[in-house]
Amino acid sequence: MKRNSRMPGFYKLSVADRRRAAAEALGIDVAEIEAAVEDGGLACEKADKIIENVIGTFSLPFAVALNVQVNGEDFIAPMVVEEPSVVAAASNAAKMVREGGGFIAEADDPIMIAQVQLDEVPDGARACTRIHQHASELIELGNHAVPGLCRRGGGVRSIEARDLGDGMLVVHFHVDCRDAMGANLVNTVAEAVADRVQELSGGRTGLRILSNLCDRRKVRVTCRVPTWALTTDGYNGGEVRDGIVRASRFAERDPYRATTHNKGLMNGLDAVVIATGNDWRAVESGAHAYAARNGSYSPLCVWRADGDYLVGSLEIPLSLGTVGGPSRVHDGARMGLRVANARTATELAMVAASVGMASNLAALRALATEGIQRGHMALHARSVAIAGGAIGADVERVAQLIHGLGDITVDAARRALADLAIAANSAPPPSE
Ligand code: NAD
């Protein structure tokens, strides 16, 4: 079924109506959505089987980003995140990107790296040569350890030995993990080949584990946003475009800014990673190592002007899976994967990276114009209203009051709530 991720007014609906609208757009039975996401998507008995010392579960909001178009196809991106305005900002920016044809994404094959460390190698150069001479044998040995993966078209593709000096050597096994994130698969390969690698090197085996710097599994996304689509109250599109380009150049020169620039990107990307049950620590460590690959921490996404367009380009290593990991047991993660509707892990990575790019664009657009606080604080006011004791319809009333006062504090929320209660008690009874 061809999906449409444009759903104007979605944000105004109740949670129940949003579920119905999403179910219809996704072709999923609404009862299945309800069952999967109610109570955080994970029963305590299951949680107790996943990790150790469990005393409960911990929920986060599950939302969807709209307007996302990747390579001409619509995606409704699942997002799990606790920070206000991330989902709205990503959806809004995705709409601007859509005006220029959406995100154009491409990705490497899903190749992960298994590392085998060797110590006390007597002759590093000779060991590297011997290991490369026995590449076919080692690849076969590695593949023997992951028959299921090989049956699905994955497996060890190549090897690379590097002399790290002082008798230390590392051998990389490049493993195509197909639709798996791959950590366990790759670790299995590393352990299976270690003895033979040790023999060939004449040294002693050390660690045997994947590298989270999966720089053979990168996603590249570009977008062209027409300048007019960037217009805000008080700023024309050209001013916004140039402000975003200046902000990008700032991040390219300054690691302090680049860190926050990338944080804005990871806001959206991580939310998709978490919603689909993927390992966000793996994604984070890989992304930041890659951002620092040239010796100075840099932005993962850069922005330039091209005539009447703002052009963004992002490159990021991304190890996501649509099989294995928590998706086997976590109902919420399974629903996240169904909502994302990606045909492969590679496609899921392209969608997640596109949402990351949308988040980056939204943050830079706000920063380059009115600043980020106005929109952010309007949404933050709702959380503060809840912390001040507001429930139901009072949340929005209190949020608007404290936002209007410019005093978004729990004390102000309590006072506003008390004022609302007094006003309600002294109001005349409703007429019939
Ligand atoms: P996994 O152990 O669940 O293995 C994936 C399984 O899915 C394999 O048995 C494979 O044969 C099967 N499979 C079915 N269909 C497939 C398809 N189309 N493509 C590929 N495989 C298919 O999961 P994994 O991906 O090997 O490991 C991911 C888990 O490992 C995550 O939970 C992660 O948190 C964890 N982990 C991460 C690290 C790290 O990042 N440093 C280290 C250890 C473990």
Side-chain angles (χ1 to χ4, degrees):
M1 177 181 129
K2 205 164 163 49
R3 293 179 179 189
N4 182 2
S5 66
R6 286 279 300 123
M7 288 196 246
F10 187 80
Y11 70 99
K12 293 184 201 151
L13 303 177
S14 65
V15 171
D17 285 345
R18 282 191 210 126
R19 285 177 181 173
R20 272 190 283 278
E24 198 178 319
L26 292 161
I28 300 176
D29 189 337
V30 70
E32 287 187 72
I33 296 187
E34 279 161 7
V37 300
E38 204 65 62
D39 298 329
L42 181 66
C44 195
E45 309 83 72
K46 275 194 190 169
D48 191 33
K49 302 286 177 286
I50 299 178
I51 63 164
E52 315 74 38
N53 296 355
V54 167
I55 59 168
T57 58
F58 182 104
S59 292
L60 289 172
F62 186 135
V64 289
L66 303 178
N67 311 318
V68 179
Q69 195 174 60
V70 183
N71 295 339
E73 215 177 314
D74 270 36
F75 290 89
I76 293 173
M79 296 181 83
V80 167
V81 62
E82 85 297 347
E83 189 176 337
S85 79
V86 169
V87 176
S91 300
N92 193 25
K95 196 158 116 211
M96 294 168 211
V97 171
R98 208 180 164 91
E99 299 292 355
F103 300 96
I104 305 300
E106 52 138 0
D108 300 330
D109 283 341
I111 303 281
M112 295 298 281
I113 299 169
Q115 293 198 294
V116 180
Q117 177 203 357
L118 295 153
D119 277 317
E120 299 164 23
V121 177
D123 182 340
R126 188 162 172 271
C128 284
T129 307
R130 278 203 84 199
I131 287 163
H132 283 132
Q133 280 168 344
H134 288 79
S136 315
E137 176 202 337
L138 289 168
I139 289 171
E140 200 175 316
L141 197 59
N143 281 336
H144 196 67
V146 284
L149 180 63
C150 294
R151 264 198 314 279
R152 293 180 177 96
V156 185
R157 297 285 187 247
S158 57
I159 65 166
E160 180 185 21
R162 283 185 297 129
D163 187 353
L164 300 180
D166 289 335
M168 191 183 288
L169 203 97
V170 63
V171 187
H172 283 189
F173 285 72
H174 305 134
V175 186
D176 185 325
C177 294
R178 296 286 88 201
D179 294 315
M181 179 269 184
N184 290 324
L185 290 166
V186 159
N187 293 346
T188 304
V189 168
E191 292 190 2
V193 296
D195 285 352
R196 182 63 180 135
V197 171
Q198 173 172 277
E199 244 171 56
L200 290 168
S201 73
R204 192 159 72 93
T205 309
L207 308 185
R208 296 150 295 163
I209 187 158
L210 88 156
S211 168
N212 284 111
L213 177 51
C214 53
D215 59 1
R216 289 174 175 257
R217 194 178 189 174
K218 293 194 294 288
V219 176
R220 285 164 290 277
V221 186
T222 57
C223 70
R224 288 173 65 79
V225 189
T227 298
W228 63 262
L230 297 164
T231 309
T232 68
D233 292 345
Y235 295 85
N236 71 43
E239 288 169 326
V240 181
R241 177 201 56 207
D242 295 344
I244 291 173
V245 172
R246 278 206 308 281
S248 177
R249 290 195 187 280
F250 176 20
E252 289 159 50
R253 284 161 184 261
D254 179 38
Y256 287 90
R257 176 56 214 155
T259 306
T260 320
H261 180 103
N262 287 343
K263 192 278 180 181
L265 191 151
M266 301 312 282
N267 270 343
L269 198 154
D270 276 341
V272 179
V273 171
I274 295 169
T276 51
N278 273 289
D279 186 335
W280 73 93
R281 291 86 56 205
V283 168
E284 283 283 331
S285 54
H288 300 300
Y290 191 67
R293 67 193 179 283
N294 295 325
S296 164
Y297 189 87
S298 306
L300 292 159
C301 183
V302 296
W303 298 90
R304 291 288 181 269
D306 180 15
D308 280 339
Y309 287 87
L310 173 73
V311 180
S313 40
L314 161 70
E315 184 171 74
I316 188 168
L318 212 41
S319 53
L320 300 188
T322 54
V323 298
S327 68
R328 287 205 193 96
V329 283
H330 194 291
D331 293 340
R334 262 210 299 273
M335 183 49 69
L337 286 166
R338 283 184 71 187
V339 170
N341 195 36
R343 281 163 290 228
T344 60
T346 301
E347 192 167 71
L348 177 63
M350 295 197 286
V351 172
S354 299
V355 175
M357 187 180 230
S359 294
N360 185 222
L361 171 60
L364 295 186
R365 179 169 173 264
L367 286 167
T369 55
E370 65 184 10
I372 211 152
Q373 282 305 78
R374 202 173 107 185
H376 196 76
M377 291 316 272
L379 289 163
H380 178 59
R382 286 195 207 147
S383 307
V384 175
I386 294 168
I391 52 173
D394 279 346
V395 174
E396 204 53 51
R397 289 191 198 114
V398 171
Q400 278 181 14
L401 281 169
I402 60 176
H403 187 241
L405 288 169
D407 184 8
I408 304 174
T409 60
V410 175
D411 279 350
R414 287 199 186 109
R415 281 195 299 274
L417 196 58
D419 290 348
L420 282 175
I422 293 166
N425 287 336
S426 58
S431 55
E432 289 182 317

